[in-house]
Amino acid sequence: MNQTVKRDLWFHRGTWLWTFTALLVCSTCVGTVFASAASVGAAIARINSEAMALELQSLVSVLMAFIGITACAVIATNTRLVVLAQSRSHALWKILGMPPRKIRRTVLTQVTVLGAIAGACASILAPVASLLYVQTWAETGLPVSGPPAYSPSVPFGTIALTIVFALAGAWRPAKRASRVNELQALRDAAMPTSHMTKSALFAGACLVGLAGLCFFTGVIDGIYADGEPDAIVAAMLMLLAAALALSAWTLPATLACWSWFVRTQALAWHLARAAVRQRTAQSISASLPYALAISLIGTLYGSVAAAGVEANGIGMVLGLILPICIAGGMGTVAMCGPQRRSDARMLETLGVDRKTIDLTNAIEGASYGITGLVFGWFFTLSSSLVGSLLLGMPVIVGLGHLPWGLLAVLTTCCLAVPTITAVASGRLKREAQVQSIAYSSV
C-alpha cells in the first residue's frame, strides 16, 4: 500500500499541491496562535500574574473558537474536494481488483500523510509568524515584548489538528469511494452531484433552534432594559453557523438568486454559468471560503457593534482568518484547473477565440467570489440591522460601527483571488490544434 500511496500522490501532484498549500497556510495560522500563547505565557510566568494568566486563557479560547472553526472548514472542504476530484482513479482501482477496505485506507493514508507534512512544516513557520502576530495583542495589556518561547505543545497541537481537520473532510468521500460500484463512480466523475447529508441537516436544525432560544432570551431580558447584547451576538453567530452547515442549500440558492439578475446574451457569460453550475454540482467548496471570510468578520462586527460592546481590536486578533480563507479559496478554484483546461481545449477546437476563453474563466472565478460576497454581506447587514432594532438603536448608528475599510479589503480580495486563480489555472499554452484535440480526450 505504501507504493500505491506514493505513486498516486506523485501522479496527481498537481492537484495535491494545491491542497497541501491550503493545509500549510491554515495549519500555520493555527500554530501561530499556539506559538503566540506560549511566548506570552512564558512572559506572564516570569512576572507571576494570575490575572494575566486568566486573561490569556480567555483570549486564546476566543481565538481558537473562530480561527479553529475557520481552519477546520477550509481544510475539510479542500480535502473533500481533492478526494472527489479523483473518483475516476478510485473507480479504476476497483476495476483492477483492489479491495474496498484497501481503497479507503489508501485514500485516508494519503490525506494523513499530507496533513502530517503540512503540520510539521507549519510548526516550524508558526514561531516565526508569531513574532509579528503577537504584537496585535498589545492593546489587551498582555506582555508581548518578551523573547519567543518554545513549547512542545506547538508542534503537537499543530500537527494533530491539521490531521484531524483533514480527515474530517476526507472521511465520507473515502468511504463512498470504497463502497460505490465502478460504473457509478465513473458516472460521478463525469456528472458529479452533491447532496445534503443527514449530519449537516441535523446540525443546522440544532443551531437554528439555539439561535431562536438566544433571541428569545435577549428579547425577554430587554423588555425592561436595553436588551441583552451577549444573547443577540450569540444568536447571530449561531444563525450564521446554521447557514454554513446547510451550505449545500444556501450557497447554490445564493448563486441562483444573483445570477438571475444578469441578463445578457454574451457567449462568455453563458459558458461561465454552465461551468459554475457543473462545478457546484460536484461541491460548493469554491464559494465557501469567501462566504466564510466576509460573513464571519462582518457578522461578528455588526452584532457586537450594534449591541454597544467595544469592538476595537477584533479585526487584528481575527486577522488570521483572511489568509486562511484566501489560501482555501485559491486551492478549491485551482483544483478544477485540469477540467478548466480540458474545456478550453474543446472550445478552441470548436473555434472559440482565446480572449473569450480567458474571459469565460475570469467570469467563472468571479462568480465564486460574488456568491460568497452576497452571502457574507447579507449576514453582515442583517446582523447590524437586527441588533440595532432589538436594542432600540438607530439603524444608521449601527451601520456606522461596521469596519467598512476592513470589509472593503475583504471584498476586493474575494473578487480578485478567485478571478486571477481561475484565469491562471485555465490558461492554455500555445500548442498545435492536433495536440489540443488529443489532450482534450485524455
Side-chain angles (χ1 to χ4, degrees):
M1 187 174 68
N2 293 334
Q3 291 296 328
T4 304
V5 171
K6 290 189 292 186
R7 290 176 180 177
D8 189 71
L9 284 174
W10 177 254
F11 183 77
H12 296 286
R13 59 189 180 276
T15 304
W16 286 107
L17 182 60
W18 288 106
T19 305
F20 175 79
T21 303
L23 264 63
L24 179 61
V25 173
C26 293
S27 55
T28 300
C29 292
V30 173
T32 300
V33 178
F34 289 147
S36 301
S39 176
V40 176
I44 293 175
R46 285 192 293 269
I47 62 178
N48 194 18
S49 174
E50 185 177 354
M52 285 188 176
L54 294 175
E55 185 177 355
L56 175 63
Q57 293 178 3
S58 176
L59 178 61
V60 173
S61 299
V62 172
L63 286 174
M64 288 308 301
F66 288 100
I67 296 175
I69 291 174
T70 306
C72 178
V74 172
I75 290 176
T77 52
N78 272 268
T79 53
R80 178 180 181 272
L81 185 59
V82 75
V83 174
L84 290 175
Q86 299 176 29
S87 57
R88 184 174 179 272
S89 297
H90 302 155
L92 295 178
W93 289 354
K94 296 196 74 173
I95 293 174
L96 294 175
M98 183 180 291
R101 290 186 178 179
K102 186 175 181 180
I103 293 176
R104 184 173 64 252
R105 287 199 305 267
T106 301
V107 174
L108 294 179
T109 302
Q110 290 175 334
V111 174
T112 303
V113 169
L114 208 69
I117 296 175
C121 295
S123 63
I124 299 174
L125 298 175
V128 179
S130 68
L131 296 177
L132 297 176
Y133 176 70
V134 75
Q135 301 303 319
T136 63
W137 296 7
E139 64 184 44
T140 63
L142 295 173
V144 299
S145 58
Y150 176 80
S151 173
S153 62
V154 175
F156 176 78
T158 304
I159 296 174
L161 286 180
T162 305
I163 294 175
V164 170
F165 292 163
L167 290 177
W171 186 267
R172 184 177 293 273
K175 186 177 179 180
R176 175 175 172 77
S178 63
R179 289 187 174 184
V180 71
N181 62 71
E182 299 88 337
L183 294 178
Q184 182 62 41
L186 292 174
R187 283 194 293 267
D188 290 343
M191 300 182 63
T193 57
S194 61
H195 60 279
M196 177 67 65
T197 61
K198 294 181 180 179
S199 59
L201 187 60
F202 176 76
C206 291
L207 288 168
V208 170
L210 290 174
L213 182 62
C214 290
F215 272 125
F216 179 77
T217 302
V219 172
I220 292 299
D221 290 343
I223 291 178
Y224 302 105
D226 293 331
E228 184 62 32
D230 293 340
I232 295 174
V233 172
M236 292 306 303
L237 291 176
M238 286 182 182
L239 279 180
L240 172 60
L244 292 173
L246 302 174
S247 56
W249 289 346
T250 55
L251 288 180
T254 304
L255 172 63
C257 287
W258 74 261
S259 62
W260 183 82
F261 292 97
V262 180
R263 302 293 183 178
T264 180
Q265 298 298 324
L267 176 62
W269 162 251
H270 289 281
L271 291 174
R273 185 176 62 176
V276 170
R277 288 177 176 176
Q278 197 273 340
R279 314 271 196 266
T280 305
Q282 181 181 11
S283 175
I284 46 82
S285 303
S287 299
L288 185 60
Y290 309 110
L292 192 61
I294 293 290
S295 59
L296 184 58
I297 294 179
T299 300
L300 183 64
Y301 252 115
S303 55
V304 167
V309 181
E310 183 66 29
N312 293 331
I314 292 180
M316 289 185 291
V317 296
L318 296 182
L320 293 178
I321 291 179
L322 181 59
I324 289 175
C325 293
I326 289 178
M330 288 182 64
T332 53
V333 174
M335 262 189 280
C336 296
Q339 302 176 20
R340 202 170 287 118
R341 288 190 295 271
S342 178
D343 294 343
R345 294 185 186 105
M346 182 59 67
L347 291 174
E348 190 177 34
T349 303
L350 295 175
V352 180
D353 60 278
R354 289 289 182 98
K355 291 183 179 180
T356 303
I357 294 174
D358 290 339
L359 181 59
T360 299
N361 293 332
I363 295 175
E364 180 192 347
S367 298
Y368 299 131
I370 293 173
T371 302
L373 288 176
V374 173
F375 180 91
W377 275 104
F378 172 79
F379 274 93
T380 298
L381 298 177
S382 297
S383 63
S384 180
L385 177 63
V386 172
S388 300
L389 293 178
L390 291 180
L391 296 172
M393 178 187 296
V395 176
I396 300 299
V397 176
L399 292 175
H401 289 302
L402 289 174
W404 293 103
L406 177 61
L407 292 175
V409 174
L410 286 174
T411 301
T412 304
C413 292
C414 290
L415 282 176
V417 170
T419 302
I420 296 173
T421 305
V423 173
S425 63
R427 186 177 295 276
L428 291 174
K429 296 180 180 179
R430 294 293 178 180
E431 54 187 2
Q433 187 176 11
V434 176
Q435 290 179 328
S436 297
I437 299 174
Y439 293 159
S440 62
S441 62
V442 176

